[in-house]
Amino acid sequence: MSGNKYEVALAETWELFGQYMSGAHAGLCCVISSESLSEAAEKALDSSLAALGYGHDACTFVAPGDLDQQALFVLIEGLDPICIVAADGKSAALLGQAYHLAVPSGKATRLLGRTAVSFLDFESLLKTPQDKQIAWALLKKLPRFGDKRS
């Protein structure tokens, strides 16, 4: 296989775990959810990441299904995203097990140098304008891409 080591790892990750992933092939943000997100939720996350400077189609969506914590760790490290979003409590718990760290809901944390944010239920926050603002406030804790002040 030709290419640099990051391209090789990315290709191998998609080959091994592609059935659990959708969205951007080389996403800058990895979004993990216990079940596949709705199209509206994916669009909301894509728009939010674009507003933070990541561009459109910046998210790789992962629904780990029957993956264990070690496999999830290998998947995320193979993708090597800049940031991580856990879309619900169950995926946040699995993420915490994978990285052997607490992933608190409603706060930003660091996972091997990456900023991660976690929601109890991102989908439910899309129902009212006030709840959308709560979601946006948490997503704004992710680093702005290309911002030299971050």
Side-chain angles (χ1 to χ4, degrees):
M1 181 175 268
S2 63
N4 70 41
K5 65 182 179 180
Y6 301 105
E7 292 170 341
V8 170
L10 183 62
E12 288 175 351
T13 300
W14 276 93
E15 185 177 324
L16 286 170
F17 301 109
Q19 67 189 22
Y20 302 101
M21 301 186 297
S22 63
H25 183 76
L28 299 173
C29 180
C30 179
V31 178
I32 301 165
S33 58
S34 59
E35 296 181 13
S36 295
L37 293 173
S38 68
E39 187 176 331
E42 287 185 1
K43 284 182 180 181
L45 285 162
D46 182 54
S47 294
S48 296
L49 271 288
L52 292 171
Y54 291 77
H56 288 282
D57 300 320
C59 298
T60 301
F61 298 97
V62 176
D66 60 353
L67 290 179
D68 65 18
Q69 62 196 36
Q70 185 176 7
L72 180 62
F73 180 84
V74 170
L75 184 159
I76 294 169
E77 290 303 308
L79 290 175
D80 195 21
I82 291 173
C83 57
I84 301 171
V85 173
D88 55 62
K90 187 175 177 182
S91 61
L94 184 59
L95 187 61
Q97 292 168 359
Y99 282 86
H100 304 289
L101 294 168
V103 179
S105 180
K107 296 182 180 180
T109 192
R110 302 285 288 170
L111 301 174
L112 289 183
R114 296 178 189 93
T115 302
V117 295
S118 172
F119 294 90
L120 280 178
D121 185 356
F122 180 78
E123 293 262 7
S124 71
L125 293 174
L126 299 178
K127 295 179 180 172
T128 69
Q130 181 180 1
D131 285 343
K132 287 179 185 179
Q133 288 302 311
I134 292 169
W136 174 235
L138 182 55
L139 290 168
K140 287 193 302 187
K141 294 183 181 201
L142 295 171
R144 290 188 177 270
F145 190 69
D147 186 350
K148 294 182 180 13
R149 296 173 291 163
S150 296

